Amino acid sequence: MKATGKKLILGIFTLSAIVLQAQKSDLGAWYMYFGNNKISKKLNLHNEIQYRNFNAVGDLEQLMIRAGIGYDLTEDNNNVLAGYVFILSRPYENGEKTENIEHRIFQQYITKQEFGRFNLQHRYRLEERIMEDDFRMRFRYYVNLSIPINNREMLPKTFYASVYNEIFLHLDSPVFDRNRVYGALGYVINKNMRIEAGYMNQIQENKNRGQIQVGFYNNIPFTKD
């Protein structure tokens, strides 16, 4: 990674920390790892950990661990995947920390498109949520647009801008659950790894909250050896 890339990434982390320290009560932070391991030409193993905080670090809001097996319908552009999610939540209720555990089964379809420099991704996800005293089903639609900045393609040592919107809908009443709007700056480290930092605003019926997000993406290709 060139010195310019290192400085920019360091600057993103520093700015995020300053903002979080200044607005502890209003702004949370999510630290995320996304792995995608090719186990054959068509099959892939998805693994994901998200550590979500009410502040910069130390006040856990939610720990999410997701894994699934996917199948490529076409090379690189269309993938179906099914998996399991474990979620540990520690919300505040009447000023006191509580603890909830949720088990979730999900199925999804991802399709990708390229329009010149623009990379578009759609994800359609269905979730079966098993909570301690409830069961709900939810549909999620996610659309992401990524644009390389200093190259025409997402090559190594490329900076890029990324935006997404994701809406969550219950299959019963009330239908609307939440909507997420996100903007970020990312850096392609090499052909398999990239890092991204940005801001996400989450809109729910009775509240609206911002989150700083830092994500690391690791895609491991398939090899026969």
Side-chain angles (χ1 to χ4, degrees):
M1 187 188 302
K2 292 183 179 179
T4 303
K6 292 180 180 179
K7 289 179 180 178
L8 183 55
I9 292 171
L10 179 61
I12 292 171
F13 278 94
T14 303
L15 179 61
S16 299
I18 292 171
V19 172
L20 287 166
Q21 289 297 320
Q23 304 184 33
K24 288 182 180 178
S25 61
D26 299 320
L27 195 63
W30 293 7
Y31 304 101
M32 305 173 293
Y33 169 84
F34 300 93
N36 194 58
N37 302 58
K38 295 289 288 186
I39 54 181
S40 74
K41 289 185 178 181
K42 290 286 189 179
L43 292 173
N44 66 285
L45 172 65
H46 177 80
N47 50 96
E48 176 183 330
I49 299 176
Q50 297 193 30
Y51 182 77
R52 301 173 174 180
N53 280 271
F54 283 107
N55 55 17
V57 66
D59 190 3
L60 178 65
E61 178 181 9
Q62 193 173 77
L63 174 65
M64 175 182 290
I65 301 172
R66 177 183 280 118
I69 296 292
Y71 180 81
D72 292 333
L73 299 175
T74 59
E75 186 176 357
D76 298 327
N77 291 327
N78 294 278
N79 177 272
V80 291
L81 186 144
Y84 165 78
V85 191
F86 171 83
I87 302 169
L88 169 65
S89 299
R90 289 183 176 168
Y92 285 98
E93 293 183 9
N94 301 319
E96 298 292 331
K97 274 274 192 177
T98 61
E99 183 171 296
N100 303 310
I101 291 177
E102 177 182 341
H103 302 277
R104 189 180 297 175
I105 307 298
F106 73 98
Q107 306 83 37
Q108 69 181 36
Y109 168 64
I110 291 177
T111 181
K112 300 177 182 179
Q113 300 164 311
E114 292 184 9
F115 303 96
R117 295 171 67 97
F118 299 91
N119 299 280
L120 191 64
Q121 176 177 301
H122 303 268
R123 184 181 69 204
Y124 308 86
R125 178 179 287 172
L126 182 65
E127 298 176 324
E128 296 81 45
R129 307 175 62 200
I130 305 165
M131 293 160 278
E132 293 179 2
D133 56 357
D134 196 11
F135 173 80
R136 303 201 76 175
M137 295 184 68
R138 186 169 66 181
F139 173 75
R140 298 166 57 168
Y141 170 65
Y142 164 99
V143 58
N144 171 266
L145 178 66
S146 298
I147 309 168
I149 297 172
N150 58 317
N151 287 308
R152 292 194 60 83
E153 300 179 16
M154 298 285 275
L155 302 171
K157 301 180 181 180
T158 296
F159 294 99
Y160 66 91
S162 178
V163 294
Y164 78 64
N165 188 84
E166 184 172 20
I167 188 168
F168 296 63
L169 302 173
H170 291 301
L171 299 191
D172 55 5
S173 182
V175 174
F176 177 76
D177 181 23
R178 66 194 65 200
N179 190 75
R180 293 174 179 170
V181 181
Y182 172 81
L185 181 65
Y187 183 78
V188 182
I189 300 170
N190 57 45
K191 65 179 182 179
N192 299 323
M193 294 187 291
R194 60 187 173 92
I195 190 169
E196 190 173 296
Y199 174 81
M200 185 268 287
N201 188 35
Q202 183 163 241
I203 303 165
Q204 294 175 265
E205 185 177 357
N206 298 317
K207 60 182 178 180
N208 186 343
R209 189 159 182 262
Q211 313 281 353
I212 294 294
Q213 293 191 351
V214 179
F216 179 76
Y217 300 79
N218 184 28
N219 296 311
I220 302 175
F222 170 68
T223 56
K224 293 183 178 180
D225 299 329

